[in-house]
Amino acid sequence: MNEWKILVVDDEPQSLMLVEAMLTRLGYRVYLAESGTDAIEQIETLNPDLILLDVMMPHMDGFEVARHLKSNDAMRMIPIIMVMALSDREDRISALEAGADDFLSKPVDQTELKVRVKSLLQIKAYHDHFRQDQERLELEVARRTEQLSEALEEINRAAAAAEAANVLRGEFLANVSHELRTPLNGIMGMAELMLTTDLTKEQMEYTELVQESAERLLDLIDRTLDFSEIEAGVMILKAAAFNAWEWLDDIVRMLHPKAEKKGIALNVFTDHNLPEWLVADAVRLRQVLVNLAGNAIKFTEDGEVNIRISLESDDEASNRLLFEVSDTGIGIPAEHQERIFDAFTQVDSSSTRRYEGMGLGLSLASRLVGMMNGRIGLESREGEGSRFWFSVPMAPK
Ligand code: ADP
């Protein structure tokens, strides 16, 4: 006895019994239906592996039953053997069209029945196996997809949390910087007032030192504040028209004393066709230029620092401004040049280093230039000097 279930459909009881006997002898589990409607009813609950279907039946003939089965998703895979008079060519074509998988002639021959049933069940077995594999695979794919989407959700949650933490950290830093500035402004104001009073030479020197230190501290706090604002994504650039000459004059006037104090020449060159009015965030643009020029003065012991502003020459439309700052200072070793724009990077980070700083200036400059859709870069030779440059679109987008 095997597990195959075969439904035999015939309206003639003798034929039914005959085929039942043959199939039972072959070891199949046999079920019987005496009409088309009876067959369809049974198939739904029985789910047979094969149907032997008589064609000539009253009410609902074999063709109709076959058509019904093949139009049903759950039943269309059950193989059908049509039992009929094989002499009629038309009938065979109709049977194929209705969905028959094979034929048997009436009266049914035992050997023929055996061979045809066996071969169809074999195909069905392959088919079932294939379907099971496919279902397993589909289940596996669904399971993995779910796992993947869970992992993705987890990543998104973590990213959102990290983002929130980042904003919080930025806000905290911005707050701290702001709180530090208030008392510092007090110190600077008082030092300035003190200088207007009657002081001895010594007292005056000390007070000036207080003022200078406070200014340096203020500068550091400002940079930290800017950096944290950029990190938190809350810094916004405000582009507006400004007068290029006044802007440049202001910068030179601010840098000049520092250069003079070190005995370095500070020269400014401008392109003859540089427009008088520029559109940009003047404060941030100035910050970048002051930063580069400030560094140039800081890292140059003798010689000169040159600032040049021009229209970028390799740009056909000439709609980019090029700022260059070159110096005759200590230069930057090649191996340090690549990472020079990273935050907290200094060429000499030893505790005995000659130059003070936090390594934030260039990183800030590069981020600001990036926010302006600009480019920044450098060329430098150790011991000979450096040329830092950046270019920004003349009319920001
Ligand atoms: P810092 O506040 O330390 O000056 P920066 O980001 O402005 O930070 O500069 C980072 C480092 O790059 C400096 O510490 C210095 O080693 C090097 N550097 C920057 N500009 C120059 C320059 N013009 N000449 C030589 N070294 C420079």
Side-chain angles (χ1 to χ4, degrees):
M1 185 89 172
N2 57 44
E3 289 300 305
W4 294 115
K5 293 182 281 184
I6 300 179
L7 179 70
V8 185
V9 191
D10 202 323
D11 61 321
E12 291 168 29
Q14 277 102 331
S15 306
L16 263 186
M17 275 161 57
L18 187 70
V19 175
E20 182 189 18
M22 291 178 183
L23 289 172
T24 312
R25 215 173 306 145
L26 291 170
Y28 297 110
R29 294 204 284 174
V30 186
Y31 301 83
L32 306 175
E34 289 188 3
S35 69
T37 39
D38 181 18
I40 286 169
E41 255 171 49
Q42 282 199 54
I43 290 165
E44 273 182 32
T45 47
L46 182 66
N47 193 24
D49 298 297
L50 180 72
I51 300 169
L52 275 177
L53 186 57
D54 184 34
V55 171
M56 299 284 284
M57 291 187 293
H59 311 303
M60 192 178 194
D61 65 11
F63 299 136
E64 219 176 308
V65 175
R67 271 196 293 275
H68 180 86
L69 295 182
K70 294 298 170 184
S71 66
N72 182 312
D73 269 350
M75 303 177 188
R76 75 151 51 100
M77 301 318 290
I78 307 170
I80 298 173
I81 297 180
M82 285 278 198
V83 185
M84 60 200 294
L86 282 185
S87 54
D88 193 337
R89 184 173 166 273
E90 296 265 308
D91 270 2
R92 273 183 295 160
I93 292 172
S94 305
L96 283 174
E97 276 171 356
D101 297 278
D102 205 350
F103 308 99
L104 265 177
S105 57
K106 238 176 165 178
V108 174
D109 171 78
Q110 162 95 32
T111 317
E112 201 184 352
L113 177 75
K114 181 178 162 184
V115 175
R116 295 205 185 274
V117 165
K118 197 174 161 201
S119 84
L120 268 190
L121 283 176
Q122 218 157 36
I123 294 171
K124 169 112 186 345
Y126 286 137
H127 213 273
D128 285 354
H129 193 73
F130 176 71
R131 221 172 48 182
Q132 274 166 12
D133 270 359
Q134 202 178 14
E135 273 169 14
R136 246 203 315 275
L137 218 70
E138 274 168 14
L139 270 176
E140 185 62 18
V141 168
R143 200 174 61 84
R144 297 259 173 116
T145 309
E146 199 183 316
Q147 276 177 352
L148 210 69
S149 78
E150 271 170 21
L152 213 68
E153 254 175 48
E154 186 61 33
I155 290 171
N156 281 341
R157 266 199 298 275
E163 170 76 19
N166 208 21
V167 171
L168 217 67
R169 191 185 58 139
E171 281 170 1
F172 171 74
L173 275 174
N175 259 340
V176 169
S177 302
H178 182 77
E179 289 300 315
L180 286 174
R181 290 181 68 147
T182 315
L184 199 57
N185 280 329
I187 294 173
M188 284 166 71
M190 284 303 130
E192 207 173 327
L193 273 183
M194 208 138 104
L195 284 173
T196 63
T197 62
D198 214 2
L199 299 177
T200 65
K201 193 167 169 278
E202 209 176 13
Q203 284 169 332
M204 183 114 79
E205 248 173 52
Y206 292 164
T207 311
E208 273 169 358
L209 224 71
V210 168
Q211 207 175 25
E212 235 173 71
S213 301
E215 263 165 26
R216 276 241 316 274
L217 194 53
L218 189 67
D219 183 51
L220 292 180
I221 290 171
D222 277 345
R223 284 183 187 201
T224 313
L225 180 68
D226 287 344
F227 191 73
S228 53
E229 273 189 8
I230 292 180
E231 285 283 280
V234 291
M235 179 178 281
I236 296 164
L237 297 190
K238 296 175 209 94
F242 63 92
N243 185 296
W245 310 123
E246 283 172 16
W247 176 82
L248 197 57
D249 216 42
D250 221 35
I251 292 175
V252 175
R253 220 173 310 154
M254 182 196 154
L255 291 169
H256 209 264
K258 286 184 189 166
E260 205 172 26
K261 218 170 170 182
K262 291 186 82 175
I264 306 165
L266 176 65
N267 309 308
V268 179
F269 304 92
T270 50
D271 222 359
H272 65 276
N273 51 7
L274 189 75
E276 190 182 349
W277 290 87
L278 299 176
V279 179
D281 186 324
V283 175
R284 296 303 176 187
L285 199 63
R286 168 196 152 110
Q287 191 177 347
V288 178
L289 188 56
V290 166
N291 213 302
L292 299 186
N295 274 351
I297 297 169
K298 179 164 144 188
F299 294 104
T300 302
E301 296 314 321
D302 50 22
E304 55 187 33
V305 169
N306 295 324
I307 299 175
R308 181 186 298 274
I309 306 177
S310 57
L311 296 175
E312 208 166 46
S313 58
D314 62 346
D315 194 356
E316 270 181 20
S318 254
N319 61 357
R320 295 178 78 87
L321 286 169
L322 176 65
F323 299 80
E324 294 162 280
V325 178
S326 48
D327 63 55
T328 54
I330 60 171
I332 298 164
E335 69 268 24
H336 287 285
Q337 291 181 15
E338 201 175 308
R339 300 200 52 221
I340 204 87
F341 293 107
D342 292 352
F344 316 115
T345 303
Q346 288 175 318
V347 172
D348 178 6
S349 54
S350 64
S351 56
T352 54
R353 66 177 204 253
R354 267 179 24 187
Y355 302 98
E356 295 175 359
M358 288 198 298
L360 266 187
L362 286 182
S363 151
L364 259 179
S366 129
R367 283 165 193 238
L368 287 172
V369 168
M371 286 172 78
M372 295 174 195
N373 293 319
R375 296 189 284 254
I376 192 165
L378 82 148
E379 287 139 29
S380 183
R381 243 178 223 274
E382 197 174 1
E384 289 181 21
S386 314
R387 174 184 161 267
F388 278 85
W389 61 267
F390 67 97
S391 69
V392 290
M394 215 149 32
K397 286 180 198 109

